[in-house]
Amino acid sequence: MKNVLLLLAIIHYGYSSKILGIFPAPSRSHYILGSALMKGLAEKGHDVTVISAYGEKQPPKTKGAYRDIVVTELQNSIQEMFKEQKMGMQDRQNLNPFFSVVFAGHMLPKIMEKVLSNEQVQQLIHSEEKFDAVIVEQFLNDGQKALATHFGAPLIVLSTIGGNFWVNTLVGNPAPPAYVPAMNLGYTVPMTFRERLVNTLLTALYEVYYHVHVYPSENARIKKYIPNGPDISDVLYNVSIVLMNSHPSTNQPVPYVPNMIDIAGFHIKAPKKLPQDLQEFLDSAKDGVIYFSMGSNLKSADFLPEQRDAVLKTFSKLKEKVLWKWEDDVLPGQPKNVKLSKWLPQQDILAHPNVKLFITHGGFLSTSETIYHGVPVLAIPIVGDQKLNAKTAVDNGFGLALSYDELTEEKFAQSVHEILTNSKYRTNAKKRSELFHDRLVGPMDTAIYWIEYAIRHKGAPHLRVAAVDLPWYQYHLLDVMGFLVLVSLSFVVVSYYVVKVVCKKLYSKPKTNKVKKH
Ligand SMILES: *[C@@H]1O[C@H](CO)[C@@H](O)[C@H](O)[C@H]1NC(C)=O
């Protein structure tokens, strides 16, 4: 008996599944998250295939096989779109949220076209291969879910940007506009009347625009590129598990249905050794270091001269050292205490005890990494969820935010000085960090557990809430409210007539008396 158990344990331990990951968003930060998840699975012993815009420079050495399918056509497509629309950093920052809904919706079918028409992807589709699970990133990526149906595998969704309209609708997650702000509005709770109004209208725009334009045009592409392709309406709402790149320590708390699982921080690794020049630079900074990076999509080299001067003048007057991710070869007027580099190992830098402040665009990766290491931030948010992350940092007391427009030397210097000298920011950052780390199971293990769970049970229909199958008027209880209004109205009308008839009777008596007198 013992031997049988041991054998079962060994078989179970060595159990390896075939998993397909689809992460075509043409944005490095999204790719970093998708590939981190797939590497985690491959390290556990699963055979993974990854469709993306970038791929790995060198295939990672993992226990299971790691195969890349790179759709090179996707690279730079966001930058091209911005260029097409002639949008610089300033315009992107002032992007109207209603326009951005339409802009993203406009990109979706284009990205889908590039992915599905890719030669290698077509080969995979027409091969006899099967998968045990298909993981799709929920960002500019709807129709690709049909590949889960095609490969006969449970569908798992990774939301790299936490909760939002796109994932909530898939699994019937309640997101009342009264207190759940749309991701790209940059609102925090409690919302003012105006904010709630805008939030409601934006949610309505999403609903209408996606159903009228986006889903139908994606559906046409499913039929075009996938043999016997399913209907998009059968695919969208068939999600087994949603892995959410969020956590109450980094996001506003909101409701989640049972198949939504928080895994923020899953991409963060234990600190590695720094390259020698950086190690020396950081070790020798006895007054501390400011780390400055605008992320992988935005470039601080794109700053306008005024903004750049404001930053340079401020840095040149500091006793602290500055490590600046700068993408050009030269920086005119580079101060002595500033070190430049085109690429920097961000996580390992934030782990260094001498780093006192992180000046960031406030992207979610940067925000969660800074919370992980307990480093306060000065955020200069530009697009997407960055404003929201910045505001959350301000509300939680571990940072300040400046809009790109108001980036004057005075304001910039004042904010930097405030964070460096007021210890409350560091204390609050450490507090957030403690909340971030305080979990039953680490985020990568949580993610792998739930993916294997979906594989073991061949999907997870038992976690699905009934909201997904309700028509919209039933979901919003419009029929019940309509019924109640009707009943109340009938009651009022009936009462009115009853009172009228009774009154008539009462008043008509003296009249008849009068008649009798004649
Ligand atoms: C929906 O998911 C279940 C469980 O993974 C699967 O058996 C079924 O084929 C899927 N349906 C479609 C249309 O993808």
Side-chain angles (χ1 to χ4, degrees):
M1 188 60 198
K2 248 187 198 162
N3 286 344
V4 175
L5 279 182
L6 190 67
L7 188 69
L8 279 177
I10 290 168
I11 292 171
H12 186 73
Y13 182 72
Y15 183 76
S16 156
S17 300
K18 285 192 68 181
I19 303 173
L20 173 65
I22 309 172
F23 310 101
S27 157
R28 277 269 170 202
S29 54
H30 289 258
Y31 173 71
I32 290 172
L33 289 165
S35 58
L37 182 62
M38 298 313 279
K39 279 180 222 163
L41 288 164
E43 271 157 25
K44 184 87 197 296
H46 298 296
D47 285 349
V48 305
T49 303
V50 184
I51 300 177
S52 76
Y54 305 102
E56 296 296 296
K57 280 208 191 82
Q58 277 151 5
K61 289 191 193 73
T62 43
K63 197 164 153 228
Y66 190 104
R67 169 172 58 155
D68 262 325
I69 294 181
V70 182
V71 183
T72 44
E73 301 92 310
L74 286 168
Q75 289 168 10
N76 301 321
S77 40
I78 283 194
Q79 279 79 353
E80 276 164 27
M81 290 281 282
F82 278 126
K83 242 183 221 157
E84 229 174 76
Q85 313 267 339
K86 296 204 169 60
M87 284 197 275
M89 208 183 269
Q90 196 141 14
D91 309 309
R92 284 186 230 173
Q93 186 219 295
N94 295 324
L95 207 60
N96 179 304
F98 289 87
F99 173 75
S100 75
V101 171
V102 176
F103 184 68
H106 175 67
M107 285 194 71
L108 269 165
K110 293 194 169 187
I111 290 179
M112 190 175 165
E113 180 91 31
K114 288 186 181 180
V115 176
L116 291 185
S117 65
N118 177 275
E119 207 182 303
Q120 274 179 289
V121 174
Q122 276 297 317
Q123 269 172 16
L124 185 69
I125 289 176
H126 288 94
S127 70
E128 295 293 306
E129 270 191 64
K130 288 277 172 239
F131 290 94
D132 301 306
V134 172
I135 306 174
V136 176
E137 191 207 350
Q138 184 57 54
F139 184 71
L140 302 178
N141 195 11
D142 274 309
Q144 284 85 324
K145 294 191 184 84
L147 290 178
T149 312
H150 177 76
F151 291 117
L155 172 61
I156 293 160
V157 160
L158 169 65
S159 177
T160 45
I161 46 179
N164 54 61
F165 167 83
W166 300 305
V167 281
N168 290 331
T169 43
L170 299 181
V171 287
N173 189 46
Y179 70 95
V180 181
M183 185 262 311
N184 63 340
L185 286 175
Y187 297 162
T188 50
V189 287
M191 289 183 267
T192 62
F193 173 77
R194 190 182 163 275
E195 287 175 340
R196 277 180 291 123
L197 179 66
V198 172
N199 195 35
T200 308
L201 291 176
L202 194 80
T203 310
L205 173 67
Y206 263 122
E207 285 284 350
V208 173
Y209 185 65
Y210 274 67
H211 281 98
V212 170
H213 172 69
V214 181
Y215 295 152
S217 71
E218 289 181 317
N219 199 38
R221 285 172 174 84
I222 293 178
K223 305 285 179 197
K224 181 170 168 199
Y225 290 109
I226 303 175
N228 303 316
D231 276 332
I232 193 159
S233 55
D234 292 332
V235 173
L236 283 179
Y237 308 105
N238 201 32
V239 180
S240 295
I241 298 290
V242 185
L243 300 171
M244 305 287 295
N245 189 28
S246 60
H247 189 254
S249 62
T250 52
N251 303 68
Q252 304 178 53
V254 288
Y256 278 171
V257 293
N259 57 351
M260 294 172 107
I261 313 291
D262 265 335
I263 58 162
F266 70 97
H267 75 285
I268 303 179
K269 298 244 178 217
K272 289 188 300 292
K273 213 175 158 306
L274 285 160
Q276 197 171 349
D277 62 324
L278 285 178
Q279 187 74 47
E280 279 165 14
F281 182 82
L282 288 160
D283 285 347
S284 64
K286 52 184 190 319
D287 292 311
V289 177
I290 295 172
Y291 169 53
F292 181 21
S293 165
M294 293 295 280
S296 48
N297 294 326
L298 305 162
K299 299 199 177 342
S300 41
D302 290 343
F303 268 38
L304 292 172
E306 297 140 57
Q307 272 87 356
R308 199 177 63 207
D309 282 350
V311 171
L312 275 176
K313 281 191 187 140
T314 305
F315 285 166
S316 68
K317 290 173 194 158
L318 289 173
K319 61 181 191 308
E320 286 81 5
K321 288 187 178 184
V322 179
L323 195 52
W324 186 343
K325 179 175 167 283
W326 174 260
E327 299 81 2
D328 270 352
D329 290 322
V330 285
L331 169 62
Q334 175 183 354
K336 275 217 280 298
N337 58 337
V338 175
K339 182 177 171 66
L340 305 176
S341 179
K342 287 187 189 172
W343 181 84
L344 288 164
Q346 175 156 307
Q347 293 185 24
D348 303 333
I349 290 168
L350 290 172
H352 197 283
N354 285 352
V355 175
K356 299 283 181 260
L357 165 65
F358 179 16
I359 303 175
T360 168
H361 62 319
F364 190 77
L365 280 191
S366 294
T367 307
S368 47
E369 287 165 15
T370 209
I371 290 175
Y372 182 100
H373 292 293
V375 178
V377 296
L378 171 57
I380 308 170
I382 310 286
V383 287
D385 61 342
Q386 295 162 8
K387 283 182 196 172
L388 176 62
N389 299 333
K391 226 174 153 204
T392 309
V394 175
D395 286 357
N396 290 325
F398 68 91
L400 290 175
L402 275 179
S403 90
Y404 180 72
D405 290 337
E406 55 176 36
L407 199 72
T408 59
E409 187 194 346
E410 194 197 340
K411 284 200 173 146
F412 187 69
Q414 202 183 5
S415 310
V416 169
H417 185 74
E418 163 72 7
I419 300 177
L420 289 176
T421 53
N422 188 339
S423 63
K424 92 168 202 212
Y425 297 97
R426 192 153 189 93
T427 310
N428 286 330
K430 293 284 174 218
K431 236 185 248 167
R432 282 279 130 190
S433 179
E434 278 166 25
L435 291 174
F436 192 85
H437 289 276
D438 197 343
R439 311 185 204 197
L440 195 54
V441 181
M444 181 60 99
D445 288 337
T446 306
I448 293 175
Y449 169 81
W450 283 102
I451 293 165
E452 291 176 347
Y453 179 97
I455 295 173
R456 274 197 298 277
H457 300 288
K458 306 209 170 351
H462 56 286
L463 295 181
R464 205 164 176 266
V465 297
V468 194
D469 302 315
L470 289 182
W472 61 275
Y473 68 89
Q474 283 185 18
Y475 179 79
H476 293 290
L477 283 178
L478 294 186
D479 50 349
V480 172
M481 281 191 257
F483 174 78
L484 291 179
V485 168
L486 255 167
V487 167
S488 321
L489 271 182
S490 332
F491 181 74
V492 171
V493 170
V494 168
S495 314
Y496 172 78
Y497 280 107
V498 167
V499 170
K500 200 172 161 188
V501 168
V502 169
C503 287
K504 220 177 187 176
K505 282 251 166 76
L506 287 177
Y507 285 112
S508 55
K509 264 190 185 155
K511 259 187 203 166
T512 45
N513 287 347
K514 267 180 202 164
V515 172
K516 272 188 177 172
K517 267 182 189 170
H518 277 282

